[in-house]
PDB file of all heavy atoms in Angstrom:
ATOM      1  N   ASN G  26      85.814  95.200  97.790  1.00  0.00           N
ATOM      2  CA  ASN G  26      85.325  95.802  96.550  1.00  0.00           C
ATOM      3  C   ASN G  26      84.842  94.722  95.580  1.00  0.00           C
ATOM      4  O   ASN G  26      85.114  93.527  95.763  1.00  0.00           O
ATOM      5  CB  ASN G  26      86.392  96.690  95.915  1.00  0.00           C
ATOM      6  CG  ASN G  26      87.543  95.896  95.330  1.00  0.00           C
ATOM      7  OD1 ASN G  26      87.728  94.732  95.644  1.00  0.00           O
ATOM      8  ND2 ASN G  26      88.323  96.522  94.476  1.00  0.00           N
ATOM      9  N   PRO G  27      84.099  95.106  94.534  1.00  0.00           N
ATOM     10  CA  PRO G  27      83.534  94.112  93.605  1.00  0.00           C
ATOM     11  C   PRO G  27      84.581  93.240  92.930  1.00  0.00           C
ATOM     12  O   PRO G  27      84.324  92.071  92.649  1.00  0.00           O
ATOM     13  CB  PRO G  27      82.778  94.982  92.593  1.00  0.00           C
ATOM     14  CG  PRO G  27      82.450  96.243  93.319  1.00  0.00           C
ATOM     15  CD  PRO G  27      83.608  96.469  94.234  1.00  0.00           C
ATOM     16  N   THR G  28      85.771  93.799  92.643  1.00  0.00           N
ATOM     17  CA  THR G  28      86.803  92.998  91.981  1.00  0.00           C
ATOM     18  C   THR G  28      87.242  91.832  92.853  1.00  0.00           C
ATOM     19  O   THR G  28      87.385  90.695  92.367  1.00  0.00           O
ATOM     20  CB  THR G  28      88.015  93.887  91.649  1.00  0.00           C
ATOM     21  OG1 THR G  28      87.589  95.010  90.866  1.00  0.00           O
ATOM     22  CG2 THR G  28      89.055  93.105  90.874  1.00  0.00           C
ATOM     23  N   ALA G  29      87.436  92.074  94.146  1.00  0.00           N
ATOM     24  CA  ALA G  29      87.816  90.988  95.052  1.00  0.00           C
ATOM     25  C   ALA G  29      86.684  89.963  95.177  1.00  0.00           C
ATOM     26  O   ALA G  29      86.933  88.752  95.261  1.00  0.00           O
ATOM     27  CB  ALA G  29      88.182  91.562  96.421  1.00  0.00           C
ATOM     28  N   ARG G  30      85.437  90.433  95.206  1.00  0.00           N
ATOM     29  CA  ARG G  30      84.307  89.498  95.256  1.00  0.00           C
ATOM     30  C   ARG G  30      84.310  88.577  94.041  1.00  0.00           C
ATOM     31  O   ARG G  30      84.045  87.370  94.153  1.00  0.00           O
ATOM     32  CB  ARG G  30      82.993  90.275  95.332  1.00  0.00           C
ATOM     33  CG  ARG G  30      82.753  90.986  96.661  1.00  0.00           C
ATOM     34  CD  ARG G  30      81.385  91.665  96.664  1.00  0.00           C
ATOM     35  NE  ARG G  30      81.129  92.351  97.921  1.00  0.00           N
ATOM     36  CZ  ARG G  30      80.597  91.761  98.990  1.00  0.00           C
ATOM     37  NH1 ARG G  30      80.264  90.477  98.924  1.00  0.00           N
ATOM     38  NH2 ARG G  30      80.394  92.441 100.098  1.00  0.00           N
ATOM     39  N   ARG G  31      84.599  89.150  92.879  1.00  0.00           N
ATOM     40  CA  ARG G  31      84.590  88.332  91.661  1.00  0.00           C
ATOM     41  C   ARG G  31      85.749  87.341  91.660  1.00  0.00           C
ATOM     42  O   ARG G  31      85.570  86.182  91.271  1.00  0.00           O
ATOM     43  CB  ARG G  31      84.674  89.252  90.443  1.00  0.00           C
ATOM     44  CG  ARG G  31      84.571  88.512  89.120  1.00  0.00           C
ATOM     45  CD  ARG G  31      84.581  89.458  87.939  1.00  0.00           C
ATOM     46  NE  ARG G  31      85.838  90.179  87.817  1.00  0.00           N
ATOM     47  CZ  ARG G  31      86.019  91.440  88.147  1.00  0.00           C
ATOM     48  NH1 ARG G  31      85.005  92.152  88.627  1.00  0.00           N
ATOM     49  NH2 ARG G  31      87.199  92.026  88.000  1.00  0.00           N
ATOM     50  N   MET G  32      86.934  87.771  92.097  1.00  0.00           N
ATOM     51  CA  MET G  32      88.083  86.872  92.082  1.00  0.00           C
ATOM     52  C   MET G  32      87.925  85.715  93.067  1.00  0.00           C
ATOM     53  O   MET G  32      88.322  84.580  92.777  1.00  0.00           O
ATOM     54  CB  MET G  32      89.360  87.657  92.409  1.00  0.00           C
ATOM     55  CG  MET G  32      89.799  88.624  91.330  1.00  0.00           C
ATOM     56  SD  MET G  32      91.364  89.424  91.767  1.00  0.00           S
ATOM     57  CE  MET G  32      91.620  90.458  90.330  1.00  0.00           C
ATOM     58  N   PHE G  33      87.345  85.994  94.240  1.00  0.00           N
ATOM     59  CA  PHE G  33      87.209  84.973  95.278  1.00  0.00           C
ATOM     60  C   PHE G  33      85.861  84.261  95.239  1.00  0.00           C
ATOM     61  O   PHE G  33      85.587  83.413  96.092  1.00  0.00           O
ATOM     62  CB  PHE G  33      87.417  85.592  96.663  1.00  0.00           C
ATOM     63  CG  PHE G  33      88.832  86.022  96.928  1.00  0.00           C
ATOM     64  CD1 PHE G  33      89.105  87.094  97.774  1.00  0.00           C
ATOM     65  CD2 PHE G  33      89.890  85.366  96.335  1.00  0.00           C
ATOM     66  CE1 PHE G  33      90.416  87.487  98.023  1.00  0.00           C
ATOM     67  CE2 PHE G  33      91.204  85.752  96.579  1.00  0.00           C
ATOM     68  CZ  PHE G  33      91.461  86.810  97.415  1.00  0.00           C
ATOM     69  N   GLY G  34      84.987  84.627  94.282  1.00  0.00           N
ATOM     70  CA  GLY G  34      83.687  83.979  94.186  1.00  0.00           C
ATOM     71  C   GLY G  34      82.756  84.356  95.319  1.00  0.00           C
ATOM     72  O   GLY G  34      81.979  83.518  95.807  1.00  0.00           O
ATOM     73  N   TRP G  35      82.800  85.613  95.737  1.00  0.00           N
ATOM     74  CA  TRP G  35      81.965  86.074  96.851  1.00  0.00           C
ATOM     75  C   TRP G  35      80.708  86.803  96.392  1.00  0.00           C
ATOM     76  O   TRP G  35      80.039  87.443  97.207  1.00  0.00           O
ATOM     77  CB  TRP G  35      82.765  87.010  97.759  1.00  0.00           C
ATOM     78  CG  TRP G  35      83.845  86.317  98.527  1.00  0.00           C
ATOM     79  CD1 TRP G  35      84.019  84.981  98.685  1.00  0.00           C
ATOM     80  CD2 TRP G  35      84.924  86.936  99.251  1.00  0.00           C
ATOM     81  NE1 TRP G  35      85.127  84.716  99.450  1.00  0.00           N
ATOM     82  CE2 TRP G  35      85.703  85.900  99.815  1.00  0.00           C
ATOM     83  CE3 TRP G  35      85.294  88.253  99.475  1.00  0.00           C
ATOM     84  CZ2 TRP G  35      86.829  86.145 100.583  1.00  0.00           C
ATOM     85  CZ3 TRP G  35      86.424  88.508 100.236  1.00  0.00           C
ATOM     86  CH2 TRP G  35      87.182  87.455 100.796  1.00  0.00           C
ATOM     87  N   GLU G  36      80.363  86.733  95.094  1.00  0.00           N
ATOM     88  CA  GLU G  36      79.159  87.430  94.650  1.00  0.00           C
ATOM     89  C   GLU G  36      77.939  86.831  95.351  1.00  0.00           C
ATOM     90  O   GLU G  36      77.754  85.612  95.383  1.00  0.00           O
ATOM     91  CB  GLU G  36      78.970  87.313  93.130  1.00  0.00           C
ATOM     92  CG  GLU G  36      79.987  88.100  92.329  1.00  0.00           C
ATOM     93  CD  GLU G  36      81.172  87.268  91.924  1.00  0.00           C
ATOM     94  OE1 GLU G  36      81.396  86.212  92.565  1.00  0.00           O
ATOM     95  OE2 GLU G  36      81.884  87.647  90.967  1.00  0.00           O
ATOM     96  N   GLY G  37      77.121  87.719  95.906  1.00  0.00           N
ATOM     97  CA  GLY G  37      75.918  87.272  96.596  1.00  0.00           C
ATOM     98  C   GLY G  37      76.153  86.761  98.001  1.00  0.00           C
ATOM     99  O   GLY G  37      75.220  86.285  98.654  1.00  0.00           O
ATOM    100  N   VAL G  38      77.395  86.827  98.481  1.00  0.00           N
ATOM    101  CA  VAL G  38      77.722  86.355  99.834  1.00  0.00           C
ATOM    102  C   VAL G  38      78.102  87.555 100.685  1.00  0.00           C
ATOM    103  O   VAL G  38      78.944  88.360 100.293  1.00  0.00           O
ATOM    104  CB  VAL G  38      78.884  85.339  99.805  1.00  0.00           C
ATOM    105  CG1 VAL G  38      79.200  84.850 101.221  1.00  0.00           C
ATOM    106  CG2 VAL G  38      78.542  84.168  98.898  1.00  0.00           C
ATOM    107  N   ASN G  39      77.467  87.686 101.840  1.00  0.00           N
ATOM    108  CA  ASN G  39      77.761  88.791 102.754  1.00  0.00           C
ATOM    109  C   ASN G  39      78.932  88.393 103.642  1.00  0.00           C
ATOM    110  O   ASN G  39      78.777  87.652 104.614  1.00  0.00           O
ATOM    111  CB  ASN G  39      76.531  89.121 103.602  1.00  0.00           C
ATOM    112  CG  ASN G  39      76.776  90.321 104.506  1.00  0.00           C
ATOM    113  OD1 ASN G  39      77.699  91.108 104.275  1.00  0.00           O
ATOM    114  ND2 ASN G  39      75.965  90.474 105.535  1.00  0.00           N
ATOM    115  N   VAL G  40      80.126  88.867 103.289  1.00  0.00           N
ATOM    116  CA  VAL G  40      81.326  88.522 104.050  1.00  0.00           C
ATOM    117  C   VAL G  40      81.743  89.630 105.006  1.00  0.00           C
ATOM    118  O   VAL G  40      82.648  89.417 105.825  1.00  0.00           O
ATOM    119  CB  VAL G  40      82.486  88.197 103.083  1.00  0.00           C
ATOM    120  CG1 VAL G  40      82.165  86.986 102.249  1.00  0.00           C
ATOM    121  CG2 VAL G  40      82.801  89.397 102.192  1.00  0.00           C
ATOM    122  N   VAL G  41      81.119  90.795 104.913  1.00  0.00           N
ATOM    123  CA  VAL G  41      81.478  91.911 105.799  1.00  0.00           C
ATOM    124  C   VAL G  41      81.084  91.545 107.229  1.00  0.00           C
ATOM    125  O   VAL G  41      79.959  91.122 107.500  1.00  0.00           O
ATOM    126  CB  VAL G  41      80.785  93.207 105.361  1.00  0.00           C
ATOM    127  CG1 VAL G  41      81.100  94.336 106.337  1.00  0.00           C
ATOM    128  CG2 VAL G  41      81.197  93.586 103.950  1.00  0.00           C
ATOM    129  N   GLY G  42      82.040  91.704 108.139  1.00  0.00           N
ATOM    130  CA  GLY G  42      81.796  91.344 109.530  1.00  0.00           C
ATOM    131  C   GLY G  42      82.081  89.890 109.831  1.00  0.00           C
ATOM    132  O   GLY G  42      81.962  89.466 110.980  1.00  0.00           O
ATOM    133  N   LYS G  43      82.472  89.111 108.817  1.00  0.00           N
ATOM    134  CA  LYS G  43      82.769  87.690 109.012  1.00  0.00           C
ATOM    135  C   LYS G  43      84.283  87.475 108.980  1.00  0.00           C
ATOM    136  O   LYS G  43      85.041  88.295 108.473  1.00  0.00           O
ATOM    137  CB  LYS G  43      82.104  86.853 107.916  1.00  0.00           C
ATOM    138  CG  LYS G  43      80.622  87.128 107.738  1.00  0.00           C
ATOM    139  CD  LYS G  43      79.814  86.694 108.940  1.00  0.00           C
ATOM    140  CE  LYS G  43      78.324  86.971 108.736  1.00  0.00           C
ATOM    141  NZ  LYS G  43      77.779  86.274 107.575  1.00  0.00           N
ATOM    142  N   ASN G  44      84.705  86.327 109.515  1.00  0.00           N
ATOM    143  CA  ASN G  44      86.127  85.968 109.500  1.00  0.00           C
ATOM    144  C   ASN G  44      86.555  85.667 108.081  1.00  0.00           C
ATOM    145  O   ASN G  44      86.015  84.775 107.425  1.00  0.00           O
ATOM    146  CB  ASN G  44      86.372  84.757 110.400  1.00  0.00           C
ATOM    147  CG  ASN G  44      87.849  84.535 110.663  1.00  0.00           C
ATOM    148  OD1 ASN G  44      88.664  84.535 109.762  1.00  0.00           O
ATOM    149  ND2 ASN G  44      88.197  84.354 111.928  1.00  0.00           N
ATOM    150  N   VAL G  45      87.546  86.388 107.590  1.00  0.00           N
ATOM    151  CA  VAL G  45      87.950  86.261 106.191  1.00  0.00           C
ATOM    152  C   VAL G  45      88.521  84.879 105.893  1.00  0.00           C
ATOM    153  O   VAL G  45      88.398  84.363 104.772  1.00  0.00           O
ATOM    154  CB  VAL G  45      88.978  87.365 105.839  1.00  0.00           C
ATOM    155  CG1 VAL G  45      90.289  87.120 106.557  1.00  0.00           C
ATOM    156  CG2 VAL G  45      89.197  87.444 104.334  1.00  0.00           C
ATOM    157  N   LEU G  46      89.138  84.225 106.896  1.00  0.00           N
ATOM    158  CA  LEU G  46      89.743  82.917 106.671  1.00  0.00           C
ATOM    159  C   LEU G  46      88.704  81.846 106.385  1.00  0.00           C
ATOM    160  O   LEU G  46      89.026  80.801 105.812  1.00  0.00           O
ATOM    161  CB  LEU G  46      90.590  82.516 107.882  1.00  0.00           C
ATOM    162  CG  LEU G  46      91.785  83.429 108.192  1.00  0.00           C
ATOM    163  CD1 LEU G  46      92.489  82.985 109.460  1.00  0.00           C
ATOM    164  CD2 LEU G  46      92.763  83.446 107.024  1.00  0.00           C
ATOM    165  N   HIS G  47      87.452  82.086 106.776  1.00  0.00           N
ATOM    166  CA  HIS G  47      86.394  81.104 106.542  1.00  0.00           C
ATOM    167  C   HIS G  47      85.857  81.168 105.119  1.00  0.00           C
ATOM    168  O   HIS G  47      85.122  80.257 104.704  1.00  0.00           O
ATOM    169  CB  HIS G  47      85.252  81.320 107.531  1.00  0.00           C
ATOM    170  CG  HIS G  47      85.654  81.100 108.951  1.00  0.00           C
ATOM    171  ND1 HIS G  47      84.891  81.515 110.033  1.00  0.00           N
ATOM    172  CD2 HIS G  47      86.778  80.528 109.486  1.00  0.00           C
ATOM    173  CE1 HIS G  47      85.502  81.203 111.166  1.00  0.00           C
ATOM    174  NE2 HIS G  47      86.651  80.610 110.854  1.00  0.00           N
ATOM    175  N   TYR G  48      86.185  82.225 104.376  1.00  0.00           N
ATOM    176  CA  TYR G  48      85.611  82.420 103.050  1.00  0.00           C
ATOM    177  C   TYR G  48      86.654  82.439 101.935  1.00  0.00           C
ATOM    178  O   TYR G  48      86.288  82.423 100.768  1.00  0.00           O
ATOM    179  CB  TYR G  48      84.807  83.735 103.009  1.00  0.00           C
ATOM    180  CG  TYR G  48      83.575  83.701 103.880  1.00  0.00           C
ATOM    181  CD1 TYR G  48      83.635  84.075 105.214  1.00  0.00           C
ATOM    182  CD2 TYR G  48      82.348  83.285 103.376  1.00  0.00           C
ATOM    183  CE1 TYR G  48      82.508  84.041 106.022  1.00  0.00           C
ATOM    184  CE2 TYR G  48      81.221  83.246 104.165  1.00  0.00           C
ATOM    185  CZ  TYR G  48      81.302  83.629 105.503  1.00  0.00           C
ATOM    186  OH  TYR G  48      80.190  83.587 106.283  1.00  0.00           O
ATOM    187  N   LEU G  49      87.933  82.492 102.279  1.00  0.00           N
ATOM    188  CA  LEU G  49      88.961  82.505 101.250  1.00  0.00           C
ATOM    189  C   LEU G  49      89.028  81.145 100.559  1.00  0.00           C
ATOM    190  O   LEU G  49      88.793  80.107 101.193  1.00  0.00           O
ATOM    191  CB  LEU G  49      90.326  82.834 101.858  1.00  0.00           C
ATOM    192  CG  LEU G  49      90.540  84.275 102.330  1.00  0.00           C
ATOM    193  CD1 LEU G  49      91.875  84.394 103.063  1.00  0.00           C
ATOM    194  CD2 LEU G  49      90.499  85.246 101.157  1.00  0.00           C
ATOM    195  N   PRO G  50      89.355  81.119  99.257  1.00  0.00           N
ATOM    196  CA  PRO G  50      89.578  79.829  98.596  1.00  0.00           C
ATOM    197  C   PRO G  50      90.666  79.036  99.308  1.00  0.00           C
ATOM    198  O   PRO G  50      91.579  79.596  99.924  1.00  0.00           O
ATOM    199  CB  PRO G  50      90.003  80.233  97.178  1.00  0.00           C
ATOM    200  CG  PRO G  50      89.426  81.602  96.983  1.00  0.00           C
ATOM    201  CD  PRO G  50      89.460  82.263  98.315  1.00  0.00           C
ATOM    202  N   SER G  51      90.580  77.729  99.213  1.00  0.00           N
ATOM    203  CA  SER G  51      91.480  76.855  99.967  1.00  0.00           C
ATOM    204  C   SER G  51      92.957  77.158  99.730  1.00  0.00           C
ATOM    205  O   SER G  51      93.729  77.270 100.696  1.00  0.00           O
ATOM    206  CB  SER G  51      91.172  75.391  99.638  1.00  0.00           C
ATOM    207  OG  SER G  51      92.042  74.536 100.358  1.00  0.00           O
ATOM    208  N   PRO G  52      93.419  77.334  98.470  1.00  0.00           N
ATOM    209  CA  PRO G  52      94.859  77.634  98.289  1.00  0.00           C
ATOM    210  C   PRO G  52      95.273  78.950  98.942  1.00  0.00           C
ATOM    211  O   PRO G  52      96.364  79.055  99.500  1.00  0.00           O
ATOM    212  CB  PRO G  52      95.019  77.689  96.766  1.00  0.00           C
ATOM    213  CG  PRO G  52      93.857  76.940  96.210  1.00  0.00           C
ATOM    214  CD  PRO G  52      92.742  77.163  97.166  1.00  0.00           C
ATOM    215  N   VAL G  53      94.389  79.950  98.886  1.00  0.00           N
ATOM    216  CA  VAL G  53      94.694  81.248  99.492  1.00  0.00           C
ATOM    217  C   VAL G  53      94.705  81.132 101.011  1.00  0.00           C
ATOM    218  O   VAL G  53      95.566  81.700 101.694  1.00  0.00           O
ATOM    219  CB  VAL G  53      93.678  82.302  99.026  1.00  0.00           C
ATOM    220  CG1 VAL G  53      93.997  83.656  99.649  1.00  0.00           C
ATOM    221  CG2 VAL G  53      93.678  82.412  97.511  1.00  0.00           C
ATOM    222  N   GLN G  54      93.739  80.405 101.548  1.00  0.00           N
ATOM    223  CA  GLN G  54      93.672  80.240 103.002  1.00  0.00           C
ATOM    224  C   GLN G  54      94.922  79.558 103.539  1.00  0.00           C
ATOM    225  O   GLN G  54      95.470  79.949 104.573  1.00  0.00           O
ATOM    226  CB  GLN G  54      92.433  79.424 103.361  1.00  0.00           C
ATOM    227  CG  GLN G  54      92.255  79.186 104.861  1.00  0.00           C
ATOM    228  CD  GLN G  54      91.065  78.306 105.160  1.00  0.00           C
ATOM    229  OE1 GLN G  54      90.371  77.859 104.255  1.00  0.00           O
ATOM    230  NE2 GLN G  54      90.837  78.037 106.418  1.00  0.00           N
ATOM    231  N   ILE G  55      95.405  78.540 102.836  1.00  0.00           N
ATOM    232  CA  ILE G  55      96.596  77.815 103.293  1.00  0.00           C
ATOM    233  C   ILE G  55      97.819  78.741 103.301  1.00  0.00           C
ATOM    234  O   ILE G  55      98.637  78.713 104.225  1.00  0.00           O
ATOM    235  CB  ILE G  55      96.836  76.595 102.383  1.00  0.00           C
ATOM    236  CG1 ILE G  55      95.691  75.579 102.557  1.00  0.00           C
ATOM    237  CG2 ILE G  55      98.174  75.942 102.696  1.00  0.00           C
ATOM    238  CD1 ILE G  55      95.756  74.423 101.597  1.00  0.00           C
ATOM    239  N   GLU G  56      97.927  79.595 102.272  1.00  0.00           N
ATOM    240  CA  GLU G  56      99.098  80.473 102.161  1.00  0.00           C
ATOM    241  C   GLU G  56      99.051  81.655 103.118  1.00  0.00           C
ATOM    242  O   GLU G  56     100.089  82.112 103.609  1.00  0.00           O
ATOM    243  CB  GLU G  56      99.228  80.985 100.726  1.00  0.00           C
ATOM    244  CG  GLU G  56      99.618  79.930  99.707  1.00  0.00           C
ATOM    245  CD  GLU G  56     101.069  79.520  99.817  1.00  0.00           C
ATOM    246  OE1 GLU G  56     101.834  80.246 100.459  1.00  0.00           O
ATOM    247  OE2 GLU G  56     101.428  78.462  99.268  1.00  0.00           O
ATOM    248  N   LEU G  57      97.846  82.179 103.407  1.00  0.00           N
ATOM    249  CA  LEU G  57      97.738  83.461 104.123  1.00  0.00           C
ATOM    250  C   LEU G  57      97.498  83.338 105.613  1.00  0.00           C
ATOM    251  O   LEU G  57      97.674  84.313 106.343  1.00  0.00           O
ATOM    252  CB  LEU G  57      96.610  84.303 103.512  1.00  0.00           C
ATOM    253  CG  LEU G  57      96.747  84.711 102.054  1.00  0.00           C
ATOM    254  CD1 LEU G  57      95.665  85.721 101.692  1.00  0.00           C
ATOM    255  CD2 LEU G  57      98.107  85.302 101.763  1.00  0.00           C
ATOM    256  N   THR G  58      97.060  82.196 106.100  1.00  0.00           N
ATOM    257  CA  THR G  58      96.685  82.094 107.520  1.00  0.00           C
ATOM    258  C   THR G  58      97.838  82.486 108.436  1.00  0.00           C
ATOM    259  O   THR G  58      97.693  83.364 109.309  1.00  0.00           O
ATOM    260  CB  THR G  58      96.217  80.667 107.834  1.00  0.00           C
ATOM    261  OG1 THR G  58      95.073  80.354 107.035  1.00  0.00           O
ATOM    262  CG2 THR G  58      95.851  80.554 109.315  1.00  0.00           C
ATOM    263  N   ARG G  59      98.968  81.870 108.264  1.00  0.00           N
ATOM    264  CA  ARG G  59     100.116  82.170 109.141  1.00  0.00           C
ATOM    265  C   ARG G  59     100.618  83.607 108.963  1.00  0.00           C
ATOM    266  O   ARG G  59     100.823  84.316 109.963  1.00  0.00           O
ATOM    267  CB  ARG G  59     101.235  81.157 108.875  1.00  0.00           C
ATOM    268  CG  ARG G  59     102.460  81.346 109.767  1.00  0.00           C
ATOM    269  CD  ARG G  59     103.514  80.288 109.454  1.00  0.00           C
ATOM    270  NE  ARG G  59     104.696  80.451 110.293  1.00  0.00           N
ATOM    271  CZ  ARG G  59     104.851  79.944 111.485  1.00  0.00           C
ATOM    272  NH1 ARG G  59     103.850  79.224 112.005  1.00  0.00           N
ATOM    273  NH2 ARG G  59     105.956  80.135 112.186  1.00  0.00           N
ATOM    274  N   PRO G  60     100.826  84.106 107.729  1.00  0.00           N
ATOM    275  CA  PRO G  60     101.282  85.505 107.584  1.00  0.00           C
ATOM    276  C   PRO G  60     100.311  86.526 108.166  1.00  0.00           C
ATOM    277  O   PRO G  60     100.742  87.545 108.715  1.00  0.00           O
ATOM    278  CB  PRO G  60     101.416  85.675 106.065  1.00  0.00           C
ATOM    279  CG  PRO G  60     101.635  84.295 105.547  1.00  0.00           C
ATOM    280  CD  PRO G  60     100.838  83.405 106.432  1.00  0.00           C
ATOM    281  N   LEU G  61      99.011  86.285 108.064  1.00  0.00           N
ATOM    282  CA  LEU G  61      98.045  87.237 108.622  1.00  0.00           C
ATOM    283  C   LEU G  61      98.205  87.356 110.133  1.00  0.00           C
ATOM    284  O   LEU G  61      98.229  88.466 110.687  1.00  0.00           O
ATOM    285  CB  LEU G  61      96.622  86.806 108.276  1.00  0.00           C
ATOM    286  CG  LEU G  61      96.162  87.062 106.833  1.00  0.00           C
ATOM    287  CD1 LEU G  61      94.790  86.459 106.584  1.00  0.00           C
ATOM    288  CD2 LEU G  61      96.138  88.549 106.529  1.00  0.00           C
TER     289      LEU G  61
END
């Protein structure tokens, strides 16, 4: 949704169908990779 795009800086980036770990901010990626 637009709120998540704004928080993660995804405006103008087509992330649908892409691996989410490649687009998450670095601190989020480090925390979420293993739990996901």
